[in-house]
Amino acid sequence: MKILTCNKPGEFEYGEGENPRIEPGKAIIKVKRIGICGTDLHAYEGTQPYFNYPRILGHELSGELVEVGGAEGFSKGDWVSIIPYFSCGECVACKAGKPNCCANISVFGVHEDGGMREYISVPSAALVKKDGLSLEELALAEPLAIGAHGVRRAGVNPGEFVIVMGAGPIGLGVMEFARIAGGKVIAMDINEDRLAFCREVLGIEHTVNAKGDYKAEIEKITDGGFAESVIDATGSTVAIHNGFELMAHGGRYVLVGLQKGEIAFSHPDFHKRESTLMSSRNATREDFDTVLTALKDKKVQAASYITHEVAFDQVKEKFSSWLDPANKVIKAMVKM
């Protein structure tokens, strides 16, 4: 089968690999769609933590189930996606019902080779499906689940202001599920095209360009109270540090985005608000179920995120262009 490997930052190479063999407890999927994630883009740039080369990228995917591997409720020919975080089941996090932050986690396409190939073998327990969803919707379940998990971590309540920093695909998912939870969403980004997408496609009322006097704008929008929840989906050190001053007293700050460096903030300012700071890593099956139901019920129109589509044999040529803001990429989707 044909595969695409990222040998080192900035370098892709097509090659041939062996088709996966049937193993107990493993399902085989014929890959049909691969969403390009920020993780993939950062890996190509060389800025992704937890990463080694060479690596086959790709963890947002959907396809046709070829071998079921004993998965209950699944049949050959089903259109499926996967939960691409493979956990050990034995560590303290797994035993506490948090396999998304397993101490020994292996993320498909990050810690181990991923989906940029014609067939993949994955644990049968990782399969997810929802009848009636398109291949594109199934491929978008994973980034949306990350957004849903971040909103659940924030504990968004109806009527609360929620600042979402970053209007990329992960940030858009955060906005969608913050809205579904009843939050009053404020979208922040430095890219005016993405802010326009938030207004025109997602119907976000409040958008703020972080290049301007964003603090004054948010103070005005919130009538001086700022936001009960601030959720970062940028992975930008500058944005993350700026977010601390946007929390309301008693507010929560959730870091969905990831950067390599340290975080520093004023302890007195943080303390006087009795602030809560937390990270949000990956997602759980509960989050995937929430997302698949929302897609089925048309509460989220995820297919509208797809702005660029390419065939598998075009990925090497096109990939670097998706890093250029001038190309207005929201979500690139690969068709196998």
Side-chain angles (χ1 to χ4, degrees), residues 61-65 72-75 77-83 126-142 144 285-300:
L61 56 88
S62 63
E64 179 184 346
L65 190 57
E72 187 174 346
F74 290 83
S75 303
D78 284 347
W79 284 2
V80 297
S81 185
I82 64 168
I83 302 174
L127 296 174
V128 294
K129 70 172 183 175
K130 192 76 167 181
D131 292 341
L133 296 185
S134 68
L135 288 167
E136 287 75 16
E137 288 172 319
L138 287 166
L140 289 167
E142 191 270 344
L144 288 170
R285 182 168 289 275
E286 178 182 350
D287 301 311
F288 275 81
D289 290 342
T290 295
V291 165
L292 294 174
T293 298
L295 288 168
K296 179 76 171 180
D297 294 344
K298 305 301 180 185
K299 291 181 179 179
V300 177

Side-chain angles (χ1 to χ4, degrees), residues 93-167:
C94 287
K95 289 179 178 178
K98 300 179 180 180
N100 57 299
C101 58
C102 167
N104 305 300
I105 200 165
S106 182
V107 178
F108 198 62
V110 178
H111 304 103
E112 62 181 83
D113 285 339
M116 286 197 182
R117 43 186 164 166
E118 293 179 83
Y119 293 89
I120 58 171
S121 173
V122 298
S124 300
L127 296 174
V128 294
K129 70 172 183 175
K130 192 76 167 181
D131 292 341
L133 296 185
S134 68
L135 288 167
E136 287 75 16
E137 288 172 319
L138 287 166
L140 289 167
E142 191 270 344
L144 288 170
I146 289 177
H149 188 73
V151 170
R152 189 154 63 93
R153 290 281 284 161
V156 173
N157 295 308
E160 292 183 339
F161 281 105
V162 183
I163 296 172
V164 182
M165 300 191 300

Side-chain angles (χ1 to χ4, degrees), residues 33 47 70 74 76 97 102 118 127 179 182 206 221 270 275 294:
R33 301 287 187 275
T47 59
F74 290 83
K76 287 185 179 182
C102 167
E118 293 179 83
L127 296 174
R179 173 182 54 78
H206 304 293
I221 292 168
F270 187 81
S275 307

Side-chain angles (χ1 to χ4, degrees), residues 241 244 247 263-273 275:
H241 282 93
F244 284 95
M247 276 189 294
I263 297 171
F265 53 88
S266 166
H267 188 181
D269 285 346
F270 187 81
H271 194 95
K272 72 182 181 182
R273 292 182 173 89
S275 307

Side-chain angles (χ1 to χ4, degrees), residues 151-195:
V151 170
R152 189 154 63 93
R153 290 281 284 161
V156 173
N157 295 308
E160 292 183 339
F161 281 105
V162 183
I163 296 172
V164 182
M165 300 191 300
I170 298 296
L172 297 179
V174 173
M175 293 177 206
E176 296 270 42
F177 287 95
R179 173 182 54 78
I180 290 170
K184 294 184 286 187
V185 176
I186 303 170
M188 281 185 66
D189 204 288
I190 60 173
N191 185 318
E192 193 56 46
D193 290 324
R194 289 195 167 188
L195 292 175

